[in-house]
Amino acid sequence: MTSRSVYLETFGCQMNELDSELVLGQLRQLGYRLTGEAADADIVLYNTCSVREHAEQKVWSRLGELAIRKKEQPGLVVGVLGCLAERDGTALVKRMPVVDVLCGPGELDKLPSLIDNAVRTRTALLADETPYQRASDRSASQIALQGSASRRSAVLAAAEDSLEMLDLSRSVSPIDPDPDRPRSSAYVRITRGCNKFCTYCVVPFTRGAEIHRPPDHIVDECKRLADAGVIEITLLGQTVNHYRFEHGSAVAVNGVIQPQKGRSYAGGHRRDPFAGEQTTTFADLLARIHEEVPSIQRLRFVTSYPRDFGDDVLEVIRQSPRICRYLHVPAQSGSDRILQMMNRGYTVAEYLEFLDRARQFLDQPEIGRPLMLSGDFIVGFPTETDEDFEATIALMRRARYKNSFIFKYSPRPGTTAINKYKDDVPEAVKRERNTRMLALQNEIGEEIGREQIGREFSVLIEGLSRRETKKRARQAPAPGTVSLTVSARTAPAGEAAADDSACDSGCGSGPKCSSAVVESRPEVATEVSSEPVQLTGRTDGDQIVFLNIPARSESGRTAVSMVGEIVRVRIESAQALGLSAVLL
Ligand code: 5AD
Ligand code: SF4
């Protein structure tokens, strides 16, 4: 057992957030103390993202600061986890000797032993220190990376997959700071990695080949989370609708069924071509979770690949009241020429055909269940002309996303695009296109918001709104106020208008990218005051809703105690950032 303290900061997508949660759970079980303050920590870890350059720069600057701190605290252990570690490998330690531990996203199960070794190595380096060999200038060099070996096998059943143990060992709610208030939402991974090789994207190189987890493991995890009080689960995968587990080829190691490599096929199907008794398709998996874990009131999934989204999945969603009517389906561009250069594998017409089909199945505003879509776009991809861009604008108008994530093309080392195409769209043009798309998205988002006025929805209350949190931060706690930590996130700012500044990174995992310190939670005060409290939550279609609730109701119930609950509301007005509602 150790009494060392660990600080972990997460950059990037939901997949990283989940990885961080699992890693922290594991470290906590081993006796490490978790802290939300980097300055207090003996071990500082960054779970990194390399999808775009912007996300990387933050990590480089954090590491620069730690190099200075390490001169004062040479025993400090610094670790870089995740996609940047995997992509740069040992070159990262050469560039930044302050880094002691390097651990790729496919090797996180090894992290505790890497940290343990690093602590011992640092102690030895300190003992060995000479005026010419300062311990603070030397790395403990504990490294676990998949390297290119991650794609080594085309065999359907992978060999022993030790990373599965990390997901399996999930100690439910490991970092909930408030045991009296179990959190209401959780992520569950169903696939890892990606086989699509979009030419701009590093994910297939950093996260490796597409791997599907055994369905029993996934369902069990959902059950355990539900037993711990979770009512909303988001299934995660880079291309979540590619999920398939072929039981005939399942392999067990030491009695544990192993995850399975994704089989490639031509695509463009309406139903999973391998469906049948021996296979759990994505549609089957959704149906199983919906049926077997009924206390999960909301089941979501991100991110969907627009091709290969079969009617079988749409039918299951339509028939299942607790599966959310929300799809995140990145189009990336509205120009067939650019889509081809991106290797996306579909045309604009095919993409639109899918959206029409999805709407036909799932858009039911008359029963309070409109289908909500969100998208991702890259502007300024090499050779993108004004004409290509106008085609993207036209697609955005046609698709009517409730929100979109718009990124300026960022050439990434190791990708096909950086080697094959010159980054020839000037920065000013990228910026201008980005701004134009954001403006259009805001317009459409507001329009969709206004369509909801007068409608009634169920809303899962997630926490204080950002405005309320800021207000509270400005006010010193009033006498008689009890301080209480709430385990819910605040609404991301400007989600309806997310862009590079609102979303630090992102990989194929989805829209709620944020740079988050996993341990930090908003401090909330339950006060005895008549001033209303602004709470925020989401509809089943993932629209953000603001609610002004009296701090304490006539029955004595506090507004804050509603966090984590699903309530019925009526929409009163719509703004760019979300909908305002009243409680029914
Ligand atoms: N440049 C800009 N955006 C990118 N994305 C992925 N790679 C890049 C890149 N090299 C975006 C895509 C993806 C989202 C998560 O990040 O839009 O869907
Ligand atoms: Fe895979 Fe998404 Fe990256 Fe394409 S953009 S390679 S689908 S993670």
Side-chain angles (χ1 to χ4, degrees):
M1 282 300 231
T2 171
S3 61
R4 288 195 161 78
S5 57
V6 180
Y7 168 85
L8 170 62
E9 185 170 354
T10 308
F11 299 85
C13 61
Q14 291 113 319
M15 200 61 102
N16 266 12
E17 284 182 36
L18 175 58
D19 281 341
S20 290
E21 181 187 328
L22 298 181
V23 155
L24 285 178
Q26 208 181 26
L27 292 176
R28 182 136 99 177
Q29 276 172 0
L30 291 168
Y32 288 91
R33 207 160 37 78
L34 310 182
T35 167
E37 292 297 326
D40 297 343
D42 304 308
I43 297 153
V44 174
L45 305 172
Y46 296 123
N47 193 5
T48 61
C49 169
S50 58
V51 164
R52 276 166 291 106
E53 199 185 346
H54 182 67
E56 268 181 46
Q57 277 163 354
K58 281 197 176 174
V59 177
W60 294 121
S61 84
R62 297 276 202 288
L63 292 175
E65 287 160 19
L66 285 184
I68 297 167
R69 174 170 155 198
K70 208 166 187 170
K71 296 213 184 298
E72 303 295 315
Q73 192 188 344
L76 180 73
V77 168
V78 177
V80 175
L81 328 177
C83 290
L84 183 57
E86 186 64 48
R87 197 205 63 200
D88 278 9
T90 46
L92 192 149
V93 181
K94 281 209 186 90
R95 175 173 167 185
M96 284 286 179
V98 67
V99 175
D100 297 295
V101 172
L102 209 53
C103 188
E107 305 291 322
L108 289 172
D109 54 305
K110 305 193 178 74
L111 187 65
S113 55
L114 295 177
I115 291 179
D116 194 44
N117 285 342
V119 168
R120 288 167 209 272
T121 311
R122 288 229 65 79
T123 312
L125 287 174
L126 276 170
D128 257 8
E129 198 171 52
T130 69
Y132 309 103
Q133 273 284 19
R134 301 283 307 277
S136 59
D137 298 334
R138 296 171 67 190
S139 164
S141 288
Q142 298 299 312
I143 295 169
L145 303 167
Q146 284 189 320
S148 51
S150 65
R151 310 203 70 96
R152 68 186 169 261
S153 162
V155 180
L156 198 65
E160 184 173 5
D161 186 321
S162 52
L163 195 57
E164 178 64 9
M165 299 315 288
L166 185 63
D167 282 273
L168 282 179
S169 72
R170 179 178 209 165
S171 52
V172 170
S173 226
I175 54 162
D176 253 0
D178 180 0
D180 295 333
R181 189 188 292 276
R183 65 165 164 188
S184 50
S185 298
Y187 296 128
V188 171
R189 190 182 345 253
I190 66 167
T191 76
R192 303 196 308 254
C194 183
N195 286 347
K196 297 313 298 179
F197 288 99
C198 301
T199 54
Y200 51 80
C201 185
V202 289
V203 171
F205 305 100
T206 57
R207 289 208 176 252
E210 188 182 273
I211 303 273
H212 307 296
R213 296 185 63 211
D216 286 350
H217 295 184
I218 297 168
V219 173
D220 281 355
E221 197 172 324
C222 292
K223 281 185 184 157
R224 280 190 294 131
L225 287 163
D227 288 347
V230 165
I231 56 171
E232 178 184 69
I233 283 184
T234 304
L235 305 177
L236 294 186
Q238 250 72 36
T239 49
V240 82
N241 51 319
H242 283 181
Y243 179 84
R244 185 195 308 116
F245 197 85
E246 295 178 42
H247 298 273
S249 3
V251 166
V253 175
N254 297 328
V256 179
I257 301 284
Q258 299 298 303
Q260 206 168 73
K261 290 217 172 195
R263 191 206 286 237
S264 358
Y265 53 92
H269 63 78
R270 283 289 181 90
R271 284 175 195 277
D272 190 314
F274 298 94
E277 263 180 30
Q278 280 296 305
T279 304
T280 300
T281 63
F282 182 52
D284 297 333
L285 181 72
L286 287 177
R288 253 195 86 176
I289 300 172
H290 187 263
E291 203 168 301
E292 293 180 36
V293 205
S295 52
I296 295 300
Q297 294 177 47
R298 285 184 168 188
L299 185 57
R300 305 181 177 284
F301 51 88
V302 286
T303 292
S304 300
Y305 194 70
R307 206 187 67 181
D308 317 325
F309 204 113
D311 290 355
D312 46 356
V313 181
L314 297 172
E315 276 160 12
V316 168
I317 301 174
R318 185 179 166 99
Q319 286 156 12
S320 309
R322 295 181 302 281
I323 301 184
C324 295
R325 301 282 172 103
Y326 166 66
L327 298 177
H328 177 227
V329 271
Q332 310 296 2
S333 170
S335 151
D336 282 340
R337 190 181 69 83
I338 298 289
L339 285 175
Q340 199 171 17
M341 285 174 73
M342 288 176 164
N343 190 32
R344 287 291 287 178
Y346 53 81
T347 61
V348 174
E350 284 164 339
Y351 182 86
L352 288 173
E353 184 276 334
F354 162 65
L355 289 193
D356 286 347
R357 208 155 37 93
R359 285 216 160 90
Q360 239 170 22
F361 275 93
L362 303 177
D363 190 30
Q364 293 183 290
E366 68 285 357
I367 59 160
R369 306 205 68 192
L371 173 66
M372 291 293 155
L373 301 170
S374 68
D376 290 0
F377 288 95
I378 297 178
V379 293
F381 190 79
T383 78
E384 186 187 68
T385 61
D386 286 343
E387 203 184 318
D388 294 316
F389 178 67
E390 291 308 327
T392 304
I393 288 275
L395 172 60
M396 183 177 253
R397 281 190 208 284
R398 220 2 246 286
R400 298 195 83 228
Y401 305 96
K402 75 155 173 83
N403 72 302
S404 288
F405 295 87
I406 299 153
F407 307 108
K408 290 178 283 179
Y409 171 67
S410 166
R412 306 316 296 135
T415 59
T416 310
I418 199 172
N419 295 325
K420 221 165 142 186
Y421 310 125
K422 188 164 167 262
D423 180 20
D424 59 357
V425 178
E427 180 58 30
V429 175
K430 284 184 187 169
R431 203 174 320 126
E432 204 249 8
R433 288 179 185 168
N434 192 335
T435 311
R436 243 189 91 193
M437 283 206 84
L438 278 173
L440 176 62
Q441 179 56 62
N442 277 350
E443 226 175 83
I444 297 169
E446 272 192 69
E447 217 174 82
I448 294 176
R450 281 195 298 274
E451 287 164 17
Q452 314 310 319
I453 294 174
R455 288 187 181 155
E456 294 178 6
F457 291 100
S458 294
V459 166
L460 172 57
I461 306 284
E462 293 177 341
L464 298 180
S465 72
R466 195 168 274 243
R467 195 184 80 188
E468 185 72 31
T469 310
K470 277 195 189 148
K471 190 175 97 186
R472 280 158 188 255
R474 280 196 304 269
Q475 290 168 353
T481 297
V482 188
S483 184
L484 166 76
T485 305
V486 173
S487 59
R489 62 201 164 109
T490 49
E495 191 173 76
D499 65 352
D500 276 352
S501 59
C503 173
D504 286 322
S505 53
C507 73
S509 295
K512 288 169 198 158
C513 291
S514 63
S515 169
V517 180
V518 173
E519 265 296 76
S520 78
R521 302 288 186 198
E523 279 288 316
V524 175
T526 55
E527 63 234 47
V528 194
S529 137
S530 56
E531 249 190 68
V533 173
Q534 192 179 58
L535 299 176
T536 177
R538 282 172 201 260
T539 64
D540 138 347
D542 204 52
Q543 286 191 290
I544 296 173
V545 173
F546 298 104
L547 273 169
N548 289 313
I549 311 265
R552 190 181 283 277
S553 72
E554 278 170 18
S555 66
R557 179 146 195 220
T558 61
V560 165
S561 70
M562 291 167 64
V563 172
E565 279 181 19
I566 293 181
V567 297
R568 286 296 287 178
V569 307
R570 189 175 45 248
I571 307 303
E572 301 273 278
S573 63
Q575 304 80 35
L577 291 186
L579 310 170
S580 295
V582 290
L583 205 56
L584 290 176

